[in-house]
Amino acid sequence: MKTYTNTGSKDTRSGFGDGLTELGKTNENVVALCADLIGSLKMDDFKANHPERFFQVGIAEANMIGLAAGMTIGGKIPFTGTFANFSTGRVYDQIRQSVAYSDKNVKICASHAGLTLGEDGATHQILEDIGLMKMLPGMTVINTCDYNQTKAATIAIAEHKGPVYLRFGRPKVANFTSVDQKFEIGKALHLVDGTDVTIVATGHLVWEALEAAKVLNEKGISAEVINIHTIKPLDDEAIIKSVSKTSCVVTAEEHNYLGGLGESVARVLATNKPTPQEFVATKDTFGESGTPEQLMEKYGLNSDAIVKAAEAVIKRK
Amino acid sequence: MPNTQQLKDLTTQVRRDILRMVHKVNSGHPGGSLGCAEFFVCLYQEIMDRNEGFDMNGIGEDLFFLSNGHISPVYYSVLARSGYFPVDELNSFRLINSRLQGHPTTHENLPGIRIASGSLGQGMSVALGAAQTKKLNKDSHLVYSLHGDGELQEGQNWEAIMYAAGNNVDNIISTIDLNGQQIDGATDDVLPMGSVKAKFEAFGWTVVEVNEGNNIEAILKGMADAKSKTGQGKPVCVLLKTVMGNGVDFMMHTHAWHGKAPNDEQLANGLAQNPETLGDY
């Protein structure tokens, strides 16, 4: 089976920061706004290099979303930066009316998504943001898996006209996708070929899915691994094609199983090709304090959980 | 000097439009719309520097954002009568498949509208963003916005008000419609706000008061004064004291007509008080 190498663990948020730095040089219409989390979002370079295009809004996320919507009028491409919780739940109505319904070209960039934010606990660990954002008509929803992909996605969304939610995280995780990848919104990445089970993963769970595929392979189970970086619009075709071969699927995400990638995949399969599915996701619960590893273990979001889910779903074929 | 008689005639016609629009669909918000009729007429006919046609980016022209979107009837009437779309289209207000949604939206591509509004408290942030883009684009034109006084109860306004002064956004003129009324009653009964003037000043804004907000000469004078105060490092706020329901006696000085349409008899009464000037749609 095809294997991937971690070229050195890095945080996905640094991929965002470095992508934004690149955009600063190449696209003069890109402006950035931050709600008092410049360091956490790795926006320091953009701020230093383009002070006139950087807007510190203070701890006022609702105003930040409105400002960003307004800045598009006249041709700017605003990138807002704060934690995923404050990027979505806190400002849902502002995004709904001023950005999505108004079809504004705003890029909502959200770090510290999910449990891997760690010790800060459940107030900051949003596990509902994919659901909130994918329900908004016209919103593109992206959850990247590593540093390289996050950097490529950050650069790519500037070229996409329309609102985008870009979700990434805090901890250093394996960096394994190619450094010179071209990021195509809405296009699933086929990482590993397999015949017994399809694992569809997004975000930090993609590396875990690759690890799981290795373990499964040792057990004589051939797992196909698909990286869905774009949850909306979803690459229906890639999913249907894969399960046509494997006849069962495991979805894996750092998100509630209500409203996440898993439900989107279930919708596609229910209407096209009903297929047994297991969900590796949080089960309608809040998170808590702990190290990222402890939390992913406790809430069943690691490679072990994916292996178990794969074995379970194969039995349901 | 503008011909104020023409502006008054247009205002009368706009009042008729408002009454007829909300009467036809038995829904909508006539009270605040009537109270701001003179302001909208002055803004679109005299105050703003506008380009021909409509372009979303609005480069090289003044922009306007309506934050209290429920007064869409006055907005639509004045936009139509300022040439943004056919006046006959006012017939489609709030009907299915219409560009004239209950609250203004860009979603149906109605010329003149640059942001959806209706969920309150969001317009000032949007207007400030547009004002900052104007600065980045070295476009010296101004951004205008309108907000209800009750709307100031929404906290996002105060984030925006603080931001504007802190960032010297001095190319914006935000007008507050001080009619003292909101759905549930007088603003002072619903949630006493104290001095709006003192609050804006404390937040670092320049404040211009227009005590006769339904008087065209007073509006033009006040807005010219406000314009003269832009570009001086501070955002500018106009406190426009209006009478809700102005021009239709039984709708005045009460919140009762905030979101209620007149019946046939009431419509006839209201129209009789505002004889046709430029022709009904």
Side-chain angles (χ1 to χ4, degrees), chain B residues 147-167:
Chain B
H147 316 262
D149 47 2
E151 188 184 7
L152 294 178
Q153 291 156 6
E154 290 282 7
Q156 185 182 344
N157 285 302
W158 301 98
E159 294 181 4
I161 292 164
M162 187 182 290
Y163 177 90
N167 288 278

Side-chain angles (χ1 to χ4, degrees), chain A residues 104-181:
Chain A
K104 295 301 181 218
N105 194 22
V106 174
K107 316 304 172 188
I108 299 161
C109 302
S111 182
H112 293 56
L115 290 175
T116 50
L117 175 144
E119 293 79 355
D120 278 349
T123 54
H124 288 51
Q125 293 160 337
I126 194 161
L127 295 162
E128 309 91 46
D129 54 324
I130 291 174
L132 288 171
M133 290 299 110
K134 80 176 188 183
M135 282 194 293
L136 289 171
M139 181 68 74
T140 294
V141 179
I142 297 171
N143 185 20
T144 48
C145 67
D146 71 355
Y147 168 91
N148 286 341
Q149 191 177 75
T150 309
K151 184 176 175 186
T154 303
I155 293 166
I157 61 176
E159 297 298 321
H160 170 85
K161 200 170 177 318
V164 174
Y165 178 60
L166 176 62
R167 178 195 213 235
F168 43 90
R170 173 175 181 257
K172 287 194 166 89
V173 293
N175 189 30
F176 58 95
T177 63
S178 85
V179 68
D180 57 355
Q181 66 191 281

Side-chain angles (χ1 to χ4, degrees), chain B residues 178-217:
Chain B
L178 280 184
N179 62 22
Q181 306 287 338
Q182 57 190 106
I183 299 183
D184 277 352
T187 50
D188 278 346
D189 293 334
V190 175
L191 180 63
M193 288 188 288
S195 168
V196 175
K197 179 170 189 269
K199 284 184 168 63
F200 270 92
E201 286 176 345
F203 275 71
W205 287 55
T206 297
V207 176
V208 172
E209 290 182 284
V210 178
N211 289 322
E212 292 178 75
N214 296 109
N215 176 317
I216 282 171
E217 288 85 355

Side-chain angles (χ1 to χ4, degrees), chain B residues 51-67:
Chain B
N51 290 341
E52 279 294 309
F54 176 70
D55 174 68
M56 178 57 79
N57 283 325
I59 290 168
E61 63 177 329
D62 291 341
L63 304 180
F64 170 70
F65 294 94
L66 176 67
S67 190

Side-chain angles (χ1 to χ4, degrees), chain A residues 31 52-53 55-57 60-63 66-67 69-76 93-94 97-98 101-104, chain B residues 56-57 59 63 65 105-107 114-119 122 125-126 128-130 132-133 136-137 156 159-160 163:
Chain A
V31 299
E52 77 292 349
R53 286 194 268 150
F55 301 89
Q56 167 64 274
V57 303
E61 295 82 5
N63 187 40
L67 287 167
M71 283 177 185
T72 65
I73 298 165
K76 298 303 167 202
D93 189 45
Q94 284 77 14
Q97 175 172 285
S98 293
Y101 186 44
S102 294
D103 194 24
K104 295 301 181 218
Chain B
M56 178 57 79
N57 283 325
I59 290 168
L63 304 180
F65 294 94
T105 175
T106 57
H107 203 64
R114 290 193 167 85
I115 197 81
S117 61
S119 175
Q122 300 185 28
S125 302
V126 173
L128 287 168
Q132 291 199 291
T133 284
L136 286 173
N137 288 341
Q156 185 182 344
E159 294 181 4
Y163 177 90

Side-chain angles (χ1 to χ4, degrees), chain A:
Chain A
M1 63 171 277
K2 185 166 180 185
T3 56
Y4 290 82
T5 308
N6 176 8
T7 58
S9 292
K10 282 184 174 182
D11 47 355
T12 49
R13 57 183 165 145
S14 285
F16 164 69
D18 290 347
L20 194 62
T21 298
E22 189 71 24
L23 281 174
K25 291 179 213 154
T26 58
N27 191 333
E28 61 178 21
N29 282 325
V30 168
V31 299
L33 302 89
C34 187
D36 195 31
L37 285 169
I38 296 169
S40 297
L41 269 286
K42 308 293 180 187
M43 296 169 92
D44 323 66
D45 275 2
F46 186 95
K47 183 188 176 208
N49 295 333
H50 311 283
E52 77 292 349
R53 286 194 268 150
F54 182 83
F55 301 89
Q56 167 64 274
V57 303
I59 311 164
E61 295 82 5
N63 187 40
M64 177 166 74
I65 296 298
L67 287 167
M71 283 177 185
T72 65
I73 298 165
K76 298 303 167 202
I77 307 170
F79 281 62
T80 66
T82 183
F83 290 173
N85 189 25
F86 315 135
S87 291
T88 57
R90 189 176 180 93
V91 291
Y92 194 66
D93 189 45
Q94 284 77 14
I95 296 174
R96 182 176 181 274
Q97 175 172 285
S98 293
V99 177
Y101 186 44
S102 294
D103 194 24
K104 295 301 181 218
N105 194 22
V106 174
K107 316 304 172 188
I108 299 161
C109 302
S111 182
H112 293 56
L115 290 175
T116 50
L117 175 144
E119 293 79 355
D120 278 349
T123 54
H124 288 51
Q125 293 160 337
I126 194 161
L127 295 162
E128 309 91 46
D129 54 324
I130 291 174
L132 288 171
M133 290 299 110
K134 80 176 188 183
M135 282 194 293
L136 289 171
M139 181 68 74
T140 294
V141 179
I142 297 171
N143 185 20
T144 48
C145 67
D146 71 355
Y147 168 91
N148 286 341
Q149 191 177 75
T150 309
K151 184 176 175 186
T154 303
I155 293 166
I157 61 176
E159 297 298 321
H160 170 85
K161 200 170 177 318
V164 174
Y165 178 60
L166 176 62
R167 178 195 213 235
F168 43 90
R170 173 175 181 257
K172 287 194 166 89
V173 293
N175 189 30
F176 58 95
T177 63
S178 85
V179 68
D180 57 355
Q181 66 191 281
K182 178 160 167 45
F183 188 90
E184 226 179 304
I185 294 171
K187 185 89 183 147
L189 298 175
H190 195 247
L191 298 183
V192 179
D193 270 332
T195 52
D196 297 329
V197 59
T198 299
I199 304 171
V200 175
T202 192
H204 290 150
L205 269 287
V206 178
W207 179 253
E208 298 297 325
L210 292 171
E211 293 290 291
K214 278 196 240 170
V215 175
L216 289 166
N217 191 48
E218 285 162 16
K219 293 183 174 199
I221 296 169
S222 167
E224 179 141 304
V225 180
I226 294 176
N227 170 206
I228 294 286
H229 51 60
T230 309
I231 293 157
K232 184 185 168 191
L234 191 61
D235 190 342
D236 299 8
E237 209 176 303
I239 294 164
I240 295 165
K241 194 175 162 202
S242 178
V243 301
S244 296
K245 188 168 54 169
T246 63
S247 301
C248 65
V249 63
V250 172
T251 51
E253 61 194 308
E254 193 180 344
H255 190 272
N256 193 352
Y257 68 169
L258 301 176
L261 167 68
E263 280 199 348
S264 288
V265 170
R267 175 189 52 78
V268 170
L269 294 177
T271 49
N272 291 281
K273 186 177 175 47
T275 304
Q277 178 176 352
E278 291 288 328
F279 294 73
V280 171
T282 57
K283 307 293 194 287
D284 198 19
T285 179
F286 290 104
E288 63 180 288
S289 292
T291 66
E293 296 74 21
Q294 287 169 340
L295 291 163
M296 296 301 258
E297 167 76 28
K298 177 167 177 177
Y299 289 86
L301 299 185
N302 55 16
S303 59
D304 289 349
I306 296 172
V307 169
K308 287 194 186 91
E311 289 172 333
V313 82
I314 287 169
K315 287 185 191 143
R316 292 174 50 208
K317 279 208 256 187

